Amino acid sequence: MTELPFTLDQLRILKAIAAEGSFKRAADTLYVSQPAVSLQVQNLERQLNVPLFDRGGRRAQLTEAGHLLLHYGDKILALCEETCRALEDLQNLQGGTLIVGASQTTGTYLMPRLIGIFRQRYPQVSVRLQVHSTRRTCWSVANGQLDLAIIGGEVPPELQDSLDVRAFAEDELVLILPPKHLLSRGDVITRDELYQLRFITLDAQSTIRKVIDKILSQYGIDTSRFRVEMELNSIEAIKNAVQSGLGAAFVSNSAISKELELGTLQRVRIENISIRRILWLILNPNRYQSRAAETFTREVLPLFPNLLPDALKIPVGVES
């Protein structure tokens, strides 16, 4: 094959259409016209001599050939971005991009503080934060779409051998109540009093929910007896529901510092029970590590435990 039958722009367009589900939304995302997107797809299909999309439905659906090209296209585009970051490194942190990822709670409440510290020290470096589920974040590191990530759940078994996973801090999960709740008058409640509460939780498949259920069961507490009044899809929604007096909830200590200071939530401890989870740093040892990523890991991540209220530090370094 003397010439490639596709261009990087065509791969970007294919990826955008697959992500957005339509040619029009892909065009809007790429800031080009819809006819330009359609023409590029037609040219690509003609050059490859295969259809890439099924034209029958409302949503743009990839054919088998389309899925195959998208799979390899993602790898090609990721390698191109990696190449650009490596070239930018020649400027010795006078530019470049750092892409970090995190699972929901960590990405919402802690990573922005660390990124702020890094940006104060290296304002020329552009930093992007992607917040997704633990599983998706791990796959993004494995695929080279993220330089590094902080997660609170377990790395998928199929990725454990290919990623560098380091424990470096603990996050405490605490019970919160409305300030006017009868049980919030004291700092400690008994195990039996847990069964009297109405709970507001994340869905049963969430990482935090699984950690809480597992640890409480180890203490002999039957979480299936809990009165779950509501399942919500975000920590902010849960905190607002608790503040409104709708029930109690378990949340990360890092997520409630502002509310505790303002007195809009009350944290109570369970007698002789502590719920803690390990926070993990994940890297891909088979991918190029930019100077920005190495500097962030070496200089900024060690500050992470200091940002966790009442968190215990684990004596494990994060030096690269």
Side-chain angles (χ1 to χ4, degrees):
M1 184 179 295
T2 57
E3 293 184 3
L4 290 175
F6 52 77
T7 66
L8 294 179
D9 283 339
Q10 288 172 333
L11 294 181
R12 291 191 187 98
I13 288 172
L14 179 72
K15 183 175 181 178
I17 296 172
E20 298 296 333
S22 83
F23 283 47
K24 183 180 185 307
R25 286 196 294 272
D28 293 340
T29 300
L30 298 171
Y31 300 102
V32 297
S33 67
Q34 183 176 342
V37 167
S38 298
L39 180 61
Q40 286 283 18
V41 172
Q42 290 171 12
N43 290 338
L44 181 58
E45 289 179 323
R46 185 175 64 254
Q47 290 157 197
L48 294 171
N49 197 31
V50 292
L52 298 174
F53 291 95
D54 290 323
R55 262 66 173 189
R58 293 183 177 180
R59 183 178 176 86
Q61 297 284 352
L62 288 169
T63 62
E64 183 178 359
H67 281 292
L68 183 65
L69 181 59
L70 178 64
H71 172 73
Y72 284 101
D74 280 341
K75 293 183 178 182
I76 292 169
L77 293 173
L79 188 58
C80 289
E81 292 181 3
E82 187 176 312
T83 302
C84 291
R85 290 201 297 273
L87 290 171
E88 288 170 344
D89 268 357
L90 295 176
Q91 301 179 34
N92 193 26
L93 288 180
Q94 296 304 307
T97 302
L98 173 67
I99 309 176
V100 296
S103 50
Q104 295 291 338
T105 302
T106 305
T108 302
Y109 301 103
L110 291 171
M111 288 302 287
R113 305 182 203 176
L114 292 174
I115 291 172
I117 294 171
F118 182 80
R119 290 279 292 144
Q120 287 177 352
R121 298 182 182 183
Y122 304 100
Q124 301 90 344
V125 179
S126 172
V127 183
R128 284 186 278 165
L129 171 64
Q130 297 183 12
V131 180
H132 297 294
S133 67
T134 292
R135 183 176 182 82
R136 182 173 173 182
T137 298
C138 290
W139 273 105
S140 294
V141 174
N143 293 332
Q145 297 167 327
L146 297 174
D147 292 312
L148 57 93
I150 305 296
I151 61 171
E154 295 183 356
V155 175
E158 63 269 27
L159 294 178
Q160 290 177 359
D161 292 336
S162 58
L163 294 178
D164 181 1
V165 184
R166 312 177 191 180
F168 71 100
E170 280 187 339
D171 182 21
E172 184 179 10
L173 301 169
V174 297
L175 180 65
I176 56 172
L177 294 169
K180 295 183 180 180
H181 194 282
L182 290 176
L183 293 178
S184 68
R185 294 175 181 176
D187 293 330
V188 181
I189 67 172
T190 66
R191 301 181 184 203
D192 289 339
E193 286 174 324
L194 286 173
Y195 299 116
Q196 301 173 23
L197 297 172
R198 294 175 300 160
F199 280 96
I200 301 166
T201 70
L202 293 169
D203 69 82
Q205 298 305 312
S206 70
T207 299
I208 292 181
R209 176 89 172 265
K210 290 179 179 177
V211 169
I212 292 168
D213 288 350
K214 180 178 179 180
I215 295 177
L216 288 179
S217 66
Q218 292 172 351
Y219 283 103
I221 295 173
D222 184 3
T223 57
S224 67
R225 292 176 53 195
F226 284 179
R227 296 167 55 195
V228 177
E229 297 287 317
M230 303 172 64
E231 289 188 351
L232 302 177
N233 62 1
S234 77
I235 300 299
E236 284 299 305
I238 287 175
K239 290 193 299 181
N240 289 334
V242 175
Q243 290 180 49
S244 300
L246 299 179
F250 286 100
V251 297
S252 168
N253 216 11
S254 61
I256 57 171
S257 55
K258 182 190 301 183
E259 288 78 10
L260 293 179
E261 184 178 339
L262 295 174
T264 57
L265 288 174
Q266 179 68 34
R267 178 182 60 187
V268 294
R269 301 195 179 276
I270 308 168
E271 186 178 22
N272 298 323
I273 292 178
S274 177
I275 306 175
R276 296 177 183 273
R277 62 172 180 165
I278 297 176
L279 296 172
W280 305 92
L281 163 67
I282 55 174
L283 303 159
N284 188 335
N286 300 314
R287 291 281 183 172
Y288 174 79
Q289 285 295 307
S290 67
R291 291 185 183 179
E294 291 177 351
T295 303
F296 188 83
T297 302
R298 183 178 61 252
E299 295 185 13
V300 179
L301 286 185
L303 305 176
F304 193 103
N306 298 328
L307 300 178
L308 294 170
D310 300 329
L312 297 178
K313 300 178 183 179
I314 297 177
V316 177
V318 295
E319 290 84 52
S320 56

